[in-house]
Amino acid sequence: TEVRWGGFFRRACAFLIDIVVILALWGVMFFLSYIGYKVGLSAHARAVTWERAAPLIFLLTWGSIGLATTYFVVFHGLAGKTIGKWLLGLRVIDDDRRSITYRRAFLRWLGMVVFAPLVIGLLWVLWSREKRAWHDFMAHTWVIID
């Protein structure tokens, strides 16, 4: 069968959908963390102020990093697709055209984080014959239309 590569715009739209999902999850995480922090401080007759918010900000920062990492690694490792990719009919595969492993999904995520500031790594999909970004080259993955 002929392989149809996932192009730049379809992949970008899938990523935007994933960002919306992650932001919704982050909102729930923020709300629950804030409530828990506020209850914990009120048990000691204190209120949440900017001076006392450093632990909450630290927790939310690392929680956000963990949330995004877990989202992409788990979904790509499970079935090769995130919610955005699922909605747009995309799937991440390895060189044997199978779903990728969690290890490869984590390597792909690391590559994305490293190469994201170099926007050219993501724009490489426009010029690559197989529509691969630099993080795809790094992890030996391909994005296809399923």
Side-chain angles (χ1 to χ4, degrees):
T1 60
E2 182 182 338
V3 175
R4 296 183 335 175
W5 309 113
F8 177 79
F9 294 106
R10 187 179 285 225
R11 288 176 69 168
C13 289
F15 184 70
L16 288 175
I17 291 169
D18 291 333
I19 294 300
V20 168
V21 170
I22 289 171
L23 285 174
L25 292 171
W26 185 87
V28 171
M29 182 179 73
F30 171 81
F31 179 73
L32 294 174
S33 298
Y34 179 76
I35 295 299
Y37 194 68
K38 190 172 181 173
V39 167
L41 284 177
S42 68
H44 299 284
R46 296 182 180 168
V48 177
T49 63
W50 281 109
E51 293 81 29
R52 294 190 186 113
L56 179 63
I57 293 169
F58 179 82
L59 173 74
L60 289 173
T61 300
W62 285 104
S64 301
I65 293 168
L67 176 67
T69 301
T70 302
Y71 177 85
F72 284 105
V73 171
V74 168
F75 276 114
H76 282 140
L78 273 174
K81 44 183 115 178
T82 58
I83 293 171
K85 284 184 178 67
W86 173 71
L87 288 173
L88 293 174
L90 297 172
R91 187 164 58 102
V92 180
I93 59 171
D94 64 8
D95 42 5
D96 293 329
R97 294 189 182 173
R98 293 181 304 200
S99 292
I100 62 175
T101 63
Y102 290 106
R103 182 176 181 222
R104 194 169 285 202
F106 184 69
L107 183 62
R108 188 174 190 274
W109 170 249
L110 283 179
M112 187 159 176
V113 169
V114 168
F115 295 129
L118 309 171
V119 177
I120 188 73
L122 299 173
L123 292 177
W124 199 258
V125 174
L126 293 169
W127 300 290
S128 170
R129 184 177 62 81
E130 296 176 331
K131 306 298 182 195
R132 294 172 74 193
W134 286 1
H135 58 274
D136 290 317
F137 284 105
M138 183 175 148
H140 300 285
T141 59
W142 288 260
V143 177
I144 62 168
I145 297 174
D146 207 13

